[in-house]
Amino acid sequence: MERALKMEKAFQKMSAQPQALPESKEPLALPVRLKGSAKEKRQLTHIINEMCKSDAGMSVIETALDNDYTFLFDKSIGATYGYADSGEEVCALNPNYPAADLITTIAHELRHVQQFETEIYEECDPYGANVKSNLMLTRAMEADAEAYGCLVSWELKEQGAPDAWNTFKADFPEVAKPFEKALSESGDVNEARTAAFMGWFDNLHRRDSYDAGYVETMSRIKADKTLKNYKPERFIEEICQAGGDAY
């Protein structure tokens, strides 16, 4: 099924005000496709090149390149930060947010693109899997994508570009603080990612909003067969990937 061609970020601010986004005349770090005016392409170039200063950021940009995604601005999405559309192969950003927000948005949305390539994403849908399994998949995807945005922003901070991290930490302390604490105690990035993943579930309003939206969608689907139940370990093994293994 087409699970949500627009995987919109749940974390939204009350309103988005127009921003003077930085521009770059430097060549793209990776030759991804851009769409928009000359100015918009320079702004997108800045964001993408900043992302590529992080190893994790470079990884998801490479995924977008491999899958022929086009980057563009979408001014019609209200308070939403951005989305990845797997049907149109588009990664869209809201130009009314600062570059620091948009960097973590790209990290989050393109992590979804990597998730789209997993077998469990293809198998587990409302037509073949039960509500419990679909909720577990959606939660795992969102928690993992949020943890990935945390990782990218932290790596950029380590490279001397702290804006994305400072913004992320202020907006999502339930994810950033466990990441930072685990990293300082163990020095293990994968343990820090696990802590960030678990922190996502501490924001009950956001978690419950995802659940309610998905249950409402599934309530409109009439199954004509027994739906499959998946074990949670399967979602962790395939969604929470770090170098070929689950973190």
Side-chain angles (χ1 to χ4, degrees):
M1 89 158 202
E2 295 180 0
R3 178 178 301 275
L5 291 180
K6 292 184 177 181
M7 294 291 290
E8 296 181 353
K9 295 180 79 173
F11 43 88
Q12 296 181 357
K13 294 178 181 176
M14 293 302 294
S15 62
Q17 301 299 322
Q19 301 290 318
L21 291 172
E23 302 175 30
S24 175
K25 295 182 179 180
E26 297 296 319
L28 281 162
L30 288 171
V32 294
R33 184 181 297 112
L34 306 180
K35 183 178 180 180
S37 66
K39 180 177 181 178
E40 288 173 335
K41 288 180 179 179
R42 291 193 298 270
Q43 292 170 333
L44 289 166
T45 295
H46 169 80
I47 293 167
I48 291 166
N49 285 356
E50 286 296 298
M51 277 279 292
C52 288
K53 294 176 182 177
S54 151
D55 289 341
M58 175 79 79
S59 174
V60 289
I61 299 294
E62 288 173 341
T63 297
L65 178 62
D66 292 343
N67 286 275
D68 271 340
Y69 270 67
T70 297
F71 291 84
L72 53 81
F73 289 121
D74 187 342
K75 300 176 182 177
S76 70
I77 54 178
T80 301
Y81 285 74
Y83 59 84
D85 186 327
S86 60
E88 298 295 328
E89 296 175 339
V90 162
C91 181
L93 298 172
N94 188 337
N96 290 330
Y97 285 110
D101 282 313
L102 298 183
I103 286 171
T104 52
T105 298
I106 287 186
H108 181 110
E109 298 305 329
L110 293 185
R111 181 60 171 180
H112 283 319
V113 176
Q114 292 182 336
Q115 295 165 350
F116 296 158
E117 298 177 338
T118 62
E119 290 183 6
I120 192 62
Y121 177 79
E122 294 295 329
E123 292 178 23
C124 184
D125 65 58
Y127 296 95
N130 61 21
V131 173
K132 178 182 177 181
S133 295
N134 275 280
L135 287 177
M136 286 194 296
L137 175 60
T138 301
R139 288 180 174 188
M141 289 177 67
E142 291 302 325
D144 173 69
E146 198 78 321
Y148 203 85
C150 183
L151 173 63
V152 169
S153 63
W154 176 80
E155 287 186 346
L156 290 174
K157 176 182 72 74
E158 294 298 289
Q159 293 294 324
D163 289 354
W165 172 257
N166 291 339
T167 298
F168 186 90
K169 186 176 180 180
D171 289 346
F172 311 108
E174 73 280 2
V175 176
K177 288 182 179 179
F179 177 95
E180 200 168 35
K181 182 175 185 292
L183 191 62
S184 67
E185 291 177 351
S186 70
D188 188 322
V189 171
N190 285 339
E191 287 190 20
R193 289 175 70 177
T194 298
F197 178 94
M198 297 302 294
W200 182 88
F201 292 87
D202 290 339
N203 187 322
L204 300 183
H205 174 73
R206 177 175 53 192
R207 186 200 67 190
D208 292 348
S209 295
Y210 270 107
D211 289 354
Y214 208 75
V215 168
E216 194 278 330
T217 298
M218 293 191 69
S219 70
R220 300 196 299 266
I221 297 173
K222 294 183 179 180
D224 57 2
K225 59 182 178 180
T226 300
L227 298 177
K228 188 173 181 179
N229 182 63
Y230 289 87
K231 294 182 179 181
E233 292 82 4
R234 177 83 186 277
F235 301 115
I236 298 300
E237 289 171 1
E238 296 193 32
I239 297 299
C240 302
Q241 281 288 310
D245 296 308
Y247 57 81

